[in-house]
Amino acid sequence: MGEEGTGGTVHLLCLAASSGVPLFCRSSRGGAPARQQLPFSVIGSLNGVHMFGQNLEVQLSSARTENTTVVLLVGLEELTNIRNVERLKKDLRASYCLIDSFLGDSELIGDLTQCVDCVIPPEGSLLQEALSGFAEAAGTAFVSLVVSGRVVAATEGWWRLGTPEAVLLPWLVGSLPPQTARDYPVYLPHGSPTVPHRLLTLTLLPSLELCLLCGPSPPLSQLYPQLLERCWQPLLDPLRACLPLGPRALPSGFPLHTDILGLLLLHLELKRCLFTVEPLGDKEPSPEQRRRLLRNFYTLVTSTHFPPEPGPPEKTEGGVYQAQLPRACYLVLGTEEPGKGVRLVALQLGVRRLLLLLSPQSPSHGLRSLATHTLHALTPLL
C-alpha cells in the first residue's frame, strides 16, 4: 500500500495479506528518502480497509481524499503465504535500495515506459565485441555493461530477458551503493519467480559495471580480477568515454537542435529507450522539472493519442477500417508567444516514438518539422 500525504511525502507500506503484520514501510519526501514513518494507527486503518474489501470479494485498488492517495499493491505467492514473517522482513531489506529509488526522483524512466533505459557509446561495436568475448569466457549468455543504471551494451541473451526483469536488473544495479564486486541473489518476476539466480556485478570504472546473470557457476573468484583485467584492460579509453553517458545518453558532439531541453526516444518493438534532460548543458527549467514535464507528457500522449504498442489498423464488421491514429501532437505550456513557456511535441513513425521538450524560443509552427528531423537523426542509434 502507498500513501501520498501533504508536503510531498510518499509512503510505501507492505503488509502481510493474511495477518496484517507490517513487512516494511519506505518513505520519500521531495524525491529523497525520508525518515518520517506512518503511525501504527494509520497502518491498522489501512489494513482494515483492505480486509473489509477482501471479505466482500472486492479488490480495493485505490482510495482518495482531498490530499491523500492510498494504493494497494498485490504481491507474489511468497508474500501472501508467509511461513516466517520475521525471516521475510529480513529478506526484504535487500530490496530497500530498489524501492527507495522508485519512490525518489530517478533520472531513469523505464518504470513508466517499461522500456530499458539505454545509452549510445561512441565505440559501441568495439564494446559489443569485447562483451561477447567476456560472456563466452565466463560461461553465461546473459551479460550487460551498465552505466548509472542504463545499458551501454548487452549480449543477445540479455536482450531476450522479458519485461519487467530487463528493466529492473539495470535499475537495481544503479540503485545499489558502490562496490568493487557483488554476488547478489535475484528472483526474476517473469522468468524465475520462485528460484533465485545470481546477479554478479564487477566495477570497471566508477558507475560503470559489468552485470552477469547466471546459476551456481561461475564463482566470482574466477572472474575477478584475472579474467576481468585480461578482457577489459585494453579498452580503458572506450570505457572512460561511457562515463558521461549516464545523464546525457548520447555521445558528445551528436548534432541536436539548440532548442531541445530534453528528449525521450522509444523503440516500441525492442522495448528500449533513450532519455535525457541534459543534452546541451544548463538552461532553465531545472533537470528535475524537465524530467517531470516529459514523464507527464508521456503519460498524456500514451493514454490519449498513441497506443502502448504499434499495430495495424483494425477492420470493423462492415469492412471499413477505423480512422488512423495521430502521428504527432504538441503541447504549449505558458503562452504561444516565442520566448515564453515551454513546448512539448510527440511524433510516432512506425516502431519509434519521440518526445521532445523544447525551449520557449521554438515557434509552434515548426515543432513537427524539428521533431521529424531529430527522429531521422536518432533512428540509426536505436
Side-chain angles (χ1 to χ4, degrees), residues 104 232 258 306:
W232 296 99
T258 55
F306 302 131

Side-chain angles (χ1 to χ4, degrees), residues 7 250 281 292:
L250 298 169
R292 193 178 306 117

Side-chain angles (χ1 to χ4, degrees), residues 4-258:
E4 183 177 348
T6 58
T9 301
V10 178
H11 303 285
L12 180 65
L13 172 64
C14 181
L15 302 174
S18 57
S19 64
V21 174
L23 300 177
F24 67 82
C25 180
R26 308 301 293 171
S27 302
S28 172
R29 182 180 178 86
R35 293 185 178 181
Q36 178 185 358
Q37 297 295 320
L38 288 176
F40 189 78
S41 58
V42 175
I43 294 175
S45 299
L46 292 174
N47 183 59
V49 173
H50 162 69
M51 295 298 293
F52 180 78
Q54 192 176 52
N55 291 336
L56 297 176
E57 298 183 354
V58 174
Q59 180 176 330
L60 179 64
S61 60
S62 66
R64 296 176 182 272
T65 65
E66 184 177 351
N67 54 17
T68 303
T69 302
V70 181
V71 180
L72 271 69
L73 304 177
V74 180
L76 295 178
E77 184 179 356
E78 286 77 5
L79 297 180
T80 54
N81 299 327
I82 302 171
R83 297 194 180 105
N84 188 324
V85 172
E86 294 305 316
R87 172 65 183 274
L88 178 60
K89 288 166 70 174
K90 183 179 179 180
D91 291 344
L92 285 172
R93 291 174 189 166
S95 305
Y96 284 0
C97 288
L98 181 63
I99 293 169
D100 289 346
S101 71
F102 284 127
L103 292 177
D105 183 20
S106 174
E107 295 181 357
L108 308 178
I109 201 169
D111 61 319
L112 181 64
T113 65
Q114 291 302 294
C115 295
V116 181
D117 285 275
C118 300
V119 298
I120 305 299
E123 299 188 64
S125 58
L126 190 62
L127 294 175
Q128 188 68 49
E129 183 180 350
L131 195 71
S132 300
F134 179 81
E136 184 176 356
T140 177
F142 306 97
V143 184
S144 67
L145 184 62
V146 175
V147 60
S148 303
R150 302 164 176 86
V151 175
V152 179
T155 60
E156 290 185 11
W158 184 280
W159 286 127
R160 285 198 299 268
L161 291 172
T163 303
E165 41 259 51
V167 174
L168 287 175
L169 286 173
W171 192 305
L172 169 64
V173 173
S175 71
L176 295 174
Q179 285 186 331
T180 303
R182 302 185 192 90
D183 193 334
Y184 207 85
V186 293
Y187 292 85
L188 305 180
H190 176 76
S192 183
T194 57
V195 179
H197 283 63
R198 294 167 64 221
L199 176 65
L200 306 182
T201 68
L202 304 166
T203 298
L204 300 176
L205 292 169
S207 75
L208 182 64
E209 300 177 75
L210 276 172
C211 304
L212 299 85
L213 194 62
C214 53
S217 61
L220 192 58
S221 58
Q222 178 181 321
L223 307 176
Y224 181 82
Q226 290 84 5
L227 181 59
L228 186 71
E229 293 178 353
R230 186 170 76 243
C231 291
W232 296 99
Q233 188 72 29
L235 297 175
L236 273 180
D237 287 340
L239 291 173
R240 287 194 183 100
C242 296
L243 298 182
L245 296 176
R248 194 175 189 276
L250 298 169
S252 177
F254 185 83
L256 282 178
H257 197 283
T258 55

